[in-house]
Amino acid sequence: MPQEQYAHRSTMQTSEGPQVYKVGIYGWRKRCLYFFVLLLMILILVNLAMTIWILKVMNFTIDGMGNLRITEKGLKLEGDSEFLKPLYAKEIRSRPDNPLYFQSARNVTVNILNEKTKVLTRLVTGPQAVEAHSQKFEVKTLSGKLLFSADDNEVVVGAERLRVLGAEGTVFPKSIETPNVRADPFKELRLESPTRALVMEAPKGIEINAEAGSLKATCRTELRLESKDGEITLNSAKIKLPNLPQGSSSSAGSRQKIYELCVCPNGRLFLSQAGSSSTCQINTSVCL
């Protein structure tokens, strides 16, 4: 470069002054940046305050949250607890000397599943009924004695006494097998079949005993007492058969009140006025 041109450029730069290039954010961009930073700090402080408030209200501690405590044996709940979804647990029990309550607005269902998540046993307690679904249902005492058992084949009552308090008694659509049927003290016992026959059978014998009252057996068609290999015993101070038919009486026997009890070959009973000898053969027409 010629010396004259270099001197001229130097003189121009000196006369105009040094050029300064500004670096950074200025103007409305700077004000917006400060505003967003201030807003972010306010949100952080509000979030921190809300987090501290939630921890305080929910009672978060090292051992658990609220009524929930984490112990070596599992989870411990104190007070009422609400589960919005199914609860899976190996064991649920209450604190010592405190009852355990299960409360629901509709029903409470307890399911027992197998390895393939198939329901084996189900217990449903609803507002109208308590249902148990299983192959066998048993009720036992603390000592292990069976009180009640039910399955597809039979229902077993293991108590020493089955007491029915219904005013209408107990209805058995089919047969009943029991060694003893008796009423409460000072109460009457009534066996009745309104539309069908009433049959009592026993391989060794049937005993009907009324120690403090009367015994009454009524039917519409016929009353049959049968013993195949033994005997029928009527043990009483008085045995009355008031409606037995009477055979034809003779002129001599019409003036007396003594009768002879006769039995027809078909088992029918009738009365015949007693004489010096048996008069049953005279009144065979009653047996026809």
Side-chain angles (χ1 to χ4, degrees), residues 30-46:
K30 183 177 181 180
R31 288 191 296 270
C32 290
L33 179 61
Y34 286 164
F35 175 75
F36 284 119
V37 171
L38 180 61
L39 181 61
L40 182 60
M41 292 180 63
I42 293 174
L43 292 178
I44 292 174
L45 293 177
V46 172

Side-chain angles (χ1 to χ4, degrees), residues 211-238:
E211 297 180 356
S214 59
L215 178 63
K216 184 179 180 181
T218 58
C219 64
R220 179 172 294 275
T221 56
E222 63 180 12
L223 176 63
R224 183 175 181 180
L225 301 177
E226 180 181 355
S227 178
K228 295 181 178 180
D229 298 330
E231 61 183 11
I232 298 175
T233 302
L234 301 176
N235 186 8
S236 177
K238 295 180 180 180

Side-chain angles (χ1 to χ4, degrees), residues 132-252:
H133 303 267
S134 62
Q135 295 182 355
K136 190 174 183 179
F137 179 75
E138 292 183 353
V139 178
K140 295 183 179 181
T141 61
L142 295 177
S143 60
K145 181 181 178 181
L146 181 64
L147 296 179
F148 181 83
S149 175
D151 55 16
D152 294 338
N153 298 324
E154 63 180 0
V155 176
V156 179
V157 179
E160 296 181 357
R161 176 183 297 179
L162 176 61
R163 187 175 182 182
V164 180
L165 301 179
E168 298 295 331
T170 306
V171 178
F172 298 95
K174 296 184 179 181
S175 61
I176 176 176
E177 181 178 352
T178 177
N180 188 11
V181 179
R182 64 180 180 180
D184 289 337
F186 307 103
K187 301 291 183 179
E188 64 177 10
L189 176 62
R190 185 174 182 178
L191 302 179
E192 181 181 3
S193 179
T195 59
R196 294 294 185 270
L198 178 61
V199 179
M200 291 186 293
E201 296 179 353
K204 292 186 178 180
I206 297 176
E207 181 179 356
I208 303 176
N209 186 13
E211 297 180 356
S214 59
L215 178 63
K216 184 179 180 181
T218 58
C219 64
R220 179 172 294 275
T221 56
E222 63 180 12
L223 176 63
R224 183 175 181 180
L225 301 177
E226 180 181 355
S227 178
K228 295 181 178 180
D229 298 330
E231 61 183 11
I232 298 175
T233 302
L234 301 176
N235 186 8
S236 177
K238 295 180 180 180
I239 299 177
K240 295 182 179 180
L241 303 174
N243 296 325
L244 291 180
Q246 295 183 11
S248 59
S249 59
S250 60
S251 59

